[in-house]
Amino acid sequence: MPSLSRLPLPLRALRRTFVGNRLGIMERLFGQQLRSEGVCWVETAPGLPWKVDLGNPCHRWMVYGDYADPGFWSWARNHVPEDGIIVDSGANIGQFISYFAGIASEGRILAFEPSPYCQQWLQECLAVNPELCVELIPEGLGQERGRLVLENTEGAHGLWGRLTREEETHGEEVAVNTLTKAVRSREISQIALWKLDVEGHELEALRGAEELLAEGRIRALFVELRAENRQEDVAYLRGHGYSAYKIE
């Protein structure tokens, strides 16, 4: 077990309570203080030790409380079964995994992450938490199996990148699979939740899961929608019998 950096006592106390817009409030109170710690191991809000870069706001959120919308986590804790299978794509350094592990405590998490840098980072964290039932799959999700270019649009630990076929794009060639093929090969019949956040590549990933969606084998999806793709993504899901909700 690595040595953990000690978080401020007021932060540890506040994150156990509901404080409204937690990320904004906690960032204003503690962001500057935490930023100076840089890369270190800390106890995340769910209680797991994790390697983070506290100089990065997307990492600091892991110590504040529920990562992302609290309404989503309220829904997930009430509707995702303890023995459910969760698909996390892209998993990045595991920001959602430490929370998913407490929800599907007797289930399984498939973590898709195409970036070799993030894969190595996440693997370090999983090695320190061997009790977690997480399979790290070193692939992105797309419409077909093959290879694409992962273009990093920020330099901070793989945050964020997008997959593209453009020859002029500078980046790293990575493996891509379809969710249907990945699930079939593992003989998985039902997915409780698919968290889909692949930096604008969502529609391609959805098309690669068309059989599963058509057969109703994915119970629910939590999708990061971008303005330029939102209507097309929602229309595709509605065409397969899903309803769209904004969780508040």
Side-chain angles (χ1 to χ4, degrees):
M1 171 68 70
S3 176
L4 302 183
S5 292
R6 192 160 182 82
L7 297 170
L9 181 60
L11 186 156
R12 286 181 281 139
L14 277 175
R15 71 184 185 182
R16 300 181 185 280
T17 65
F18 179 74
V19 290
N21 184 358
R22 183 188 300 275
L23 299 186
I25 292 173
M26 298 291 256
E27 180 68 5
R28 286 195 293 273
L29 290 173
F30 304 106
Q32 188 64 37
Q33 181 179 355
L34 295 178
R35 190 177 293 119
S36 62
E37 294 289 329
V39 177
C40 59
W41 288 85
V42 297
E43 181 187 78
T44 60
L48 296 177
W50 217 262
K51 179 183 173 183
V52 300
D53 178 4
L54 290 178
N56 187 318
C58 293
H59 291 216
R60 289 197 294 274
W61 292 344
M62 294 181 71
V63 305
Y64 290 156
D66 284 346
Y67 189 93
D69 303 308
F72 164 69
W73 293 112
S74 177
W75 174 89
R77 290 176 180 124
N78 283 288
H79 293 89
V80 176
E82 291 184 353
D83 61 352
I85 293 177
I86 297 176
V87 171
D88 184 353
S89 60
N92 205 268
I93 67 153
Q95 288 97 323
F96 277 75
I97 287 175
S98 60
Y99 297 84
F100 285 150
I103 293 172
S105 56
E106 299 177 11
R108 181 180 175 190
I109 300 169
L110 304 182
F112 289 86
E113 177 48 56
S115 164
Y117 188 95
C118 292
Q119 292 165 18
Q120 182 178 356
W121 189 297
L122 178 53
Q123 191 59 61
E124 284 186 66
C125 298
L126 295 178
V128 172
N129 296 279
E131 74 281 4
L132 302 184
C133 190
V134 178
E135 180 184 356
L136 173 55
I137 303 173
E139 298 174 328
L141 289 178
Q143 187 172 349
E144 58 187 11
R145 187 168 192 146
R147 301 189 72 81
L148 293 176
V149 173
L150 179 67
E151 177 190 6
N152 289 329
T153 54
E154 286 187 27
H157 312 310
L159 301 176
W160 302 102
R162 66 185 181 92
L163 291 168
T164 178
R165 290 185 177 83
E166 298 173 6
E167 293 182 359
E168 66 272 16
T169 298
H170 297 287
E172 188 167 8
E173 192 176 76
V174 296
V176 178
N177 199 0
T178 70
L179 184 60
T180 297
K181 289 180 179 177
V183 165
R184 301 284 196 218
S185 68
R186 290 166 175 79
E187 298 182 346
I188 294 171
S189 61
Q190 192 77 21
I191 294 170
L193 175 66
W194 179 11
K195 170 244 168 183
L196 177 57
D197 182 6
V198 288
E199 302 303 317
H201 201 68
E202 285 77 18
L203 186 57
E204 288 83 356
L206 289 170
R207 286 172 174 161
E210 184 166 14
E211 291 180 28
L212 303 176
L213 294 168
E215 295 169 5
R217 296 190 180 275
I218 303 175
R219 184 171 180 270
L221 300 90
F222 180 54
V223 186
E224 178 77 16
L225 296 175
R226 283 153 182 78
E228 63 272 22
N229 304 324
R230 181 178 295 118
Q231 290 185 343
E232 196 172 5
D233 292 348
V234 170
Y236 186 85
L237 284 166
R238 283 178 172 158
H240 289 81
Y242 289 81
S243 299
Y245 301 90
K246 181 179 179 181
I247 302 177
E248 296 181 347

